[in-house]
Amino acid sequence: MQKDRTRAFLKTWGIRALHSLFSVFVILSSLWFCMALWIQEPVNWLWSRILIGTWLAFALSILGIYISQHFFSRKKDIIIYILGFACSLFWYFGLEARQDRQWAPEVSKILHYEQRGDLVTLHNIRNFDWHADGSYTERWETRQFDLSKITGVNIITSYWMGPKIAHTLVSFDFADRQPLTFSIEIRKEKNEDFSAIGGFFRKYELSLVAADEKDIVYTRSNIRGEQVYFFPVNMPQFERKALFEEYLHKADHLAAHPKWYNTLTSNCTTLVFDMVQAVSPQQLPMDYRLFASGYLPNYLYDLHAVSHQWDMRTWYQRAHINPRVSGYKQISSADYSKLARKGLPRDAH
């Protein structure tokens, strides 16, 4: 008798636990799907909103099953919901990144190159002339680089949304050329704005931009008013060259296979980490600071990739380039790069 009561008790609580888990699944999956519909608008604005409303009504009826409400029957409603959600996953993961959209001018061209040994000729290097009102004069260039003459690698972090989130750029110094900066960015369409939430839902393709520092760093420090920090990185010569070539491989891959940007997993910091991981002889540890990208300099400091001649508080003070460059409305590329590096250690290069 006691065993039967125990069995009945466990069965009752097991059923309740399954109901609770399914309720959580319905809530989370509905939120995800409705956000995807809101961002993607697979038909048009009106019908997408109608579909969202219909889905939410059905999801609420599913949750109301345990209060005796349902559309058809308990079992049928659950089966319909699961099949509907499976179709939504099929639709979402079937969305393909493309190259043929009406792109914003600053990401309209694709980086490509020719390489003969250490000599690399890069086409579509961006060197826009940015104006105080945010407008620009468009200019794309071809430049040649000797990879044996790379003298330094620098991590640049640009803060635009508080201390936890920063855009990460990587700049290469050369003995005989102006620095070249690579940036993993969203590839915006014309009249499209960035949305961190949209970045979770296949709203933007990835873009690899190679640019002059006067273009891609200046626009952040002097035009947009972002807080920009410049950190020379300790890296052996062979790793510097390998990292540059890894960017070339990334350019090849994105040209052949467009890829979606993802705010969490495929962004300006995680992809840089993947490339460094590919050229580093030692396994780099995963760390939350790769996702909270504003703390990336601290992560590099702990790995001794940033010099320990100063503590991190001093580093942030010395690496902050805004006080050095913000007063300049007209400045040459060479002078801007010199000011960005002023007072920073050269032995890391």
Side-chain angles (χ1 to χ4, degrees):
M1 192 69 176
Q2 183 64 32
K3 288 183 178 180
D4 290 339
R5 289 179 180 176
T6 302
R7 194 176 293 115
F9 175 81
L10 293 175
K11 182 179 179 181
T12 299
W13 279 100
I15 292 173
R16 289 180 180 178
L18 287 175
H19 286 178
S20 298
L21 288 173
F22 186 70
S23 295
V24 171
F25 164 72
V26 170
I27 292 170
L28 295 179
S29 60
S30 293
L31 287 174
W32 174 84
F33 182 47
C34 290
M35 286 298 300
L37 289 174
W38 185 276
I39 297 296
Q40 289 291 334
E41 293 185 0
V43 275
N44 57 40
W45 186 92
L46 177 61
W47 282 104
S48 294
R49 269 53 179 183
I50 291 174
L51 182 55
I52 290 172
T54 302
W55 185 273
L56 287 176
F58 186 57
L60 290 173
S61 77
I62 291 288
L63 296 173
I65 284 174
Y66 311 117
I67 317 174
S68 79
Q69 298 175 1
H70 50 77
F71 272 18
F72 303 103
S73 68
R74 176 180 299 186
K75 187 175 293 186
K76 286 182 179 179
D77 282 358
I78 292 174
I79 292 173
I80 291 171
Y81 185 89
I82 292 174
L83 289 176
F85 185 67
C87 290
S88 75
L89 292 175
F90 182 80
W91 158 72
Y92 180 79
F93 289 104
L95 295 171
E96 293 186 356
R98 294 163 49 184
Q99 300 279 27
D100 59 347
R101 305 186 194 274
Q102 295 296 313
W103 304 112
E106 62 267 31
V107 289
S108 61
K109 295 187 181 294
I110 297 176
L111 180 68
H112 65 99
Y113 67 96
E114 295 94 34
Q115 182 174 11
R116 291 185 177 180
D118 285 342
L119 290 179
V120 176
T121 302
L122 280 174
H123 304 283
N124 294 330
I125 293 175
R126 204 179 76 190
N127 190 16
F128 285 18
D129 186 16
W130 293 84
H131 309 306
D133 61 358
S135 63
Y136 45 77
T137 301
E138 189 173 344
R139 184 167 57 240
W140 299 89
E141 299 177 349
T142 295
R143 298 183 186 180
Q144 189 174 74
F145 300 90
D146 185 342
L147 302 190
S148 68
K149 295 184 178 180
I150 298 175
T151 58
V153 176
N154 313 280
I155 291 291
I156 303 169
T157 53
S158 184
Y159 294 80
W160 52 275
M161 203 174 79
K164 296 180 181 179
I165 303 297
H167 184 75
T168 303
L169 308 93
V170 176
S171 186
F172 290 82
D173 294 335
F174 292 85
D176 59 345
R177 291 285 186 274
Q178 282 297 109
L180 182 73
T181 303
F182 288 101
S183 177
I184 299 287
E185 304 193 354
I186 64 168
R187 200 173 187 193
K188 293 188 299 185
E189 297 179 59
K190 288 183 177 178
N191 303 316
E192 188 175 44
D193 294 321
F194 174 71
S195 163
I197 295 176
F200 283 104
F201 293 96
R202 299 195 168 194
K203 179 66 173 174
Y204 313 104
E205 279 86 357
L206 269 177
S207 176
L208 174 59
V209 177
D212 192 282
E213 282 184 351
K214 171 61 167 55
D215 171 330
I216 204 163
V217 185
Y218 176 89
T219 184
R220 288 173 163 80
S221 63
N222 290 48
I223 304 300
R224 301 178 188 171
E226 298 177 12
Q227 300 306 304
V228 182
Y229 295 78
F230 195 98
F231 295 90
V233 175
N234 298 314
M235 184 175 283
Q237 175 62 26
F238 76 92
E239 287 188 24
R240 298 170 186 169
K241 177 183 173 182
L243 181 59
F244 194 101
E245 291 180 324
E246 195 66 24
Y247 272 103
L248 300 183
H249 299 156
K250 177 63 69 175
D252 282 339
H253 183 76
L254 289 177
H257 307 285
K259 184 176 179 179
W260 293 111
Y261 174 92
N262 184 282
T263 301
L264 185 64
T265 60
S266 296
N267 58 48
C268 61
T269 303
T270 58
L271 292 176
V272 169
F273 173 79
D274 291 341
M275 285 186 278
V276 172
Q277 187 84 288
V279 305
S280 176
Q282 61 181 11
Q283 188 73 16
L284 300 179
M286 288 297 297
D287 194 283
Y288 78 93
R289 291 170 292 189
L290 297 171
F291 303 98
S293 53
Y295 301 129
L296 178 64
N298 304 68
Y299 171 76
L300 296 174
Y301 186 84
D302 289 347
L303 293 178
H304 290 262
V306 171
S307 170
H308 276 220
Q309 70 183 81
W310 300 321
D311 59 25
M312 277 310 298
R313 183 175 181 179
T314 304
W315 256 114
Y316 275 108
Q317 293 171 348
R318 300 290 185 92
H320 193 199
I321 74 171
N322 293 67
R324 300 195 287 271
V325 303
S326 60
Y328 293 88
K329 300 301 180 185
Q330 296 293 330
I331 186 172
S332 70
S333 177
D335 287 342
Y336 182 83
S337 293
K338 287 179 182 177
L339 284 173
R341 291 161 175 75
K342 186 175 180 181
L344 297 177
R346 304 299 298 176
D347 57 352
H349 295 244

